[in-house]
Amino acid sequence: MIEIKIITENKKQFLDILLLADEEEHMIDRYLDRGDLFVLYDENEKKSICVVTHEEEGIYELKNLATYPAFHRLGYARYLVKYILNFYKSKNATSIMVGTGYNTSTVIFYKKCGFIESHIIKNFFTDNYSKPIIDDGKQLIDMIYLKKDI
């Protein structure tokens, strides 16, 4: 049975899975305390996680979506994104943004969840991370933002 819990304290206990989506702890520290942390459990086992921040009136940003590799492609991340969209819609959000590396499979995932391309931040990964971030064998340089109106 799938259950999603909102964690309000001791958020760093989930650092192992958060680091799967954001490789440097200092970057996670920039948003973890100010964000809502959602953890998806199936049969009482942690599978997927997400942090969402309030950026401005009606606009929220999905900052970190991660699923343990053993549970990839089982629908947990998609289930969690759908939950997040409904959760913030009930809080009068107008849109959810997500920034990610221009990794084809990641961008395709968000597009399948209904997000559309919004804008790009040039050199985000090279300017903000101490070492190259490699995803699917390619170095990430620019961050692409996607948006979904809700």
Side-chain angles (χ1 to χ4, degrees), residues 65-66 81 83 91 104 122:
L65 176 64
V81 168
Y83 179 90
K91 299 209 174 282
T104 305
K122 291 285 191 188

Side-chain angles (χ1 to χ4, degrees), residues 90-107:
S90 75
K91 299 209 174 282
N92 298 317
T94 56
S95 63
I96 302 281
M97 304 286 295
V98 61
T100 187
Y102 211 101
N103 170 321
T104 305
S105 62
T106 304
V107 173

Side-chain angles (χ1 to χ4, degrees), residues 21-22 26-27 30-31 61 63 99-101 120-131 133 139-145:
D22 200 339
H26 77 92
M27 293 297 284
R30 292 170 56 176
Y31 56 79
E61 184 174 343
K63 290 283 195 182
T100 187
I120 293 173
I121 298 178
K122 291 285 191 188
N123 301 316
F124 178 85
F125 292 99
T126 53
D127 290 347
N128 289 286
Y129 288 83
S130 64
K131 61 182 184 199
I133 303 296
Q139 181 179 352
L140 300 181
I141 296 171
D142 301 330
M143 178 180 284
I144 181 170
Y145 267 89

Side-chain angles (χ1 to χ4, degrees), residues 1 4 13-14 52 62 69 76 91 109 116 121 123 140:
M1 172 184 232
I4 296 173
Q13 69 179 305
F14 298 96
V52 180
L62 197 159
Y76 292 119
K91 299 209 174 282
F109 167 79
I116 59 169
I121 298 178
N123 301 316
L140 300 181

Side-chain angles (χ1 to χ4, degrees), residues 17 20-21 47-49 65-73 76-77 80:
I17 189 170
L20 295 175
K47 307 288 184 165
S48 195
I49 196 166
L65 176 64
T67 301
Y68 285 116
F71 307 116
H72 282 186
R73 301 199 174 276
Y76 292 119
L80 189 51

